Amino acid sequence: MNTNKRKKYDKFVVVCIAGQSNAVGFDESPVNKKIAYKNLDNSRIKQLGFYGDDNLKIVDLDYCAQAMQDMRVHNRPNTATCGTKGIHLPLANLLLDHIPNDYGVLVLSISYGGTGFTGEAPKGTYSDILKKPIEIGAGEGTIAQRWGANTAYYETLRDRIKYALELNDQNKFAGIVWCQGENDMLDAAMHKSCFEAMTAQLFEELNTTNLASRTPKGIWDKDIWYNLETVGYWYGQGQCQKIWDNYRTWNEKTYIEIPRETDSNEINGTGQTASIRGAHYGNDAFEKVVAPRVLQKMIDMNTFKNF
């Protein structure tokens, strides 16, 4: 008898990470191979693939998640590991203690650095077949476009959530973790208007499906959407503070505070992803600080009560 055979999971608790660069995960610090993640054999933690033949397939989740922005090109010096790190693996790992033992965690990473609601970026071209934005010559992933109602990014968010839940009629939805706003720092009022229009459309459209019962409250509304604070650097830039104040007002119950002193790429960063190292969480901040605070907020919201 082969005792090393991995169990195959086909039921999942789905969690979505969306927004711009701090949602993609630009942590440049080296991977610590000594970290005792529960999913070292990748049996319970998966992601919905974005790249090439992986697109729309359930594949293993590693430190560098597949997202609209392909971060595999950022090799870390002196390591064999490719890509940057985000919240995806640390959060999924923490979720395992709060879901049924026969469920896995399925992560959707729908994010791209430098994107926003304001400005002149195009709405993008969306593929119903691929369920992601497409642009000629863009290669894997996509190019920086715009968030908002009826954009290609919005359709990607909506349709990948639906797709993941429809893979199995027992799949559950834990929430959307959103980190975005830095690129809209010159116009907090317009950002607020566009964000609220997009989320209202998302909830309305998902409530017309048969998927509302998969959410903790049985409805798609503000309580499945978690607004995550950005790294401390941004709160002195433009109207970023006002943007996050608006997020808090929109729904304080799901608003996630992060200490301003939380590490950025100023510590153990390489500067490969951005010239301003303080602009992105780094030095394993996602594992040490950010993911635990997201998990606690989900617990506070009784996310796992009926799972």
Side-chain angles (χ1 to χ4, degrees):
M1 179 178 178
N2 182 6
T3 58
N4 294 320
K5 186 176 181 180
R6 299 190 306 178
K7 179 178 177 179
K8 182 177 180 180
Y9 292 82
D10 56 8
K11 296 187 298 185
F12 292 95
V13 171
V14 178
V15 62
C16 178
I17 314 296
Q20 60 180 106
S21 54
N22 278 300
V24 176
F26 276 33
D27 183 347
E28 301 169 339
S29 62
V31 168
N32 183 358
K33 295 295 186 181
K34 296 181 180 179
I35 294 175
Y37 284 114
K38 295 184 178 70
N39 72 315
L40 290 180
D41 65 357
N42 295 108
S43 61
R44 287 187 76 189
I45 299 182
K46 302 290 183 178
Q47 64 181 325
L48 189 63
F50 244 105
Y51 309 146
D53 291 339
D54 283 349
N55 189 47
L56 297 178
K57 293 180 181 176
I58 296 176
V59 297
D60 290 349
L61 174 64
D62 208 329
Y63 297 91
C64 183
Q66 293 190 22
M68 290 191 294
Q69 185 172 11
D70 188 347
M71 301 303 292
R72 294 174 298 177
V73 298
H74 295 285
N75 291 303
R76 298 188 192 88
N78 305 317
T79 73
T81 304
C82 188
T84 51
K85 294 181 287 183
I87 191 177
H88 314 81
L89 184 59
L91 179 59
N93 187 63
L94 292 174
L95 290 174
L96 293 181
D97 288 334
H98 300 273
I99 66 174
N101 290 332
D102 58 341
Y103 272 75
V105 176
L106 180 61
V107 176
L108 314 181
S109 182
I110 305 172
S111 45
Y112 199 106
T115 56
F117 292 89
T118 62
E120 301 300 322
K123 290 187 175 182
T125 304
Y126 179 71
S127 169
D128 286 317
I129 296 174
L130 299 176
K131 300 194 186 306
K132 66 180 181 179
I134 53 172
E135 293 293 335
I136 295 174
E140 297 292 6
T142 180
I143 61 175
Q145 298 172 343
R146 194 185 340 161
W147 283 101
N150 301 311
T151 64
Y153 281 2
Y154 167 80
E155 292 181 281
T156 303
L157 177 67
R158 177 198 63 201
D159 290 353
R160 286 192 172 237
I161 289 172
K162 291 169 61 178
Y163 180 87
L165 291 176
E166 288 170 348
L167 288 172
N168 188 314
D169 61 11
Q170 297 184 69
N171 285 356
K172 308 288 187 180
F173 193 72
I176 299 167
V177 180
W178 174 260
C179 191
Q180 188 281 328
E182 301 96 331
N183 204 51
D184 294 323
M185 64 180 178
L186 298 180
D187 197 342
M190 181 60 73
H191 174 276
K192 178 178 184 292
S193 176
C194 293
F195 168 78
E196 291 180 353
M198 184 187 76
T199 52
Q201 180 176 336
L202 179 69
F203 303 147
E204 180 180 358
E205 292 190 350
L206 289 177
N207 276 321
T208 65
T209 69
N210 62 351
L211 300 173
S213 62
R214 314 292 187 86
T215 64
K217 287 176 28 183
I219 188 173
W220 295 92
D221 66 5
K222 294 179 180 181
D223 288 350
I224 57 89
W225 187 288
Y226 295 83
N227 285 315
L228 172 66
E229 286 190 339
T230 187
V231 70
Y233 165 83
W234 289 105
Y235 290 92
Q237 307 298 314
Q239 299 176 28
C240 278
Q241 181 64 66
K242 180 60 177 174
I243 287 173
W244 267 268
D245 287 345
N246 289 337
Y247 280 144
R248 186 193 294 272
T249 301
W250 184 73
N251 191 6
E252 187 161 10
K253 291 187 296 181
T254 58
Y255 184 82
I256 301 168
E257 295 180 344
I258 304 296
R260 298 286 185 265
E261 65 273 17
T262 299
D263 284 349
S264 69
N265 280 328
E266 293 282 5
I267 303 174
N268 285 327
T270 65
Q272 287 187 307
T273 62
S275 59
I276 303 174
R277 298 191 186 192
H280 299 104
Y281 286 118
N283 197 35
D284 292 318
F286 288 110
E287 178 198 353
K288 298 172 184 175
V289 179
V290 182
R293 285 177 173 254
V294 172
L295 173 70
Q296 186 57 55
K297 186 63 70 169
M298 288 182 168
I299 293 172
D300 294 344
M301 292 299 295
N302 293 317
T303 298
F304 312 106
K305 181 178 180 181
N306 298 319
F307 285 7

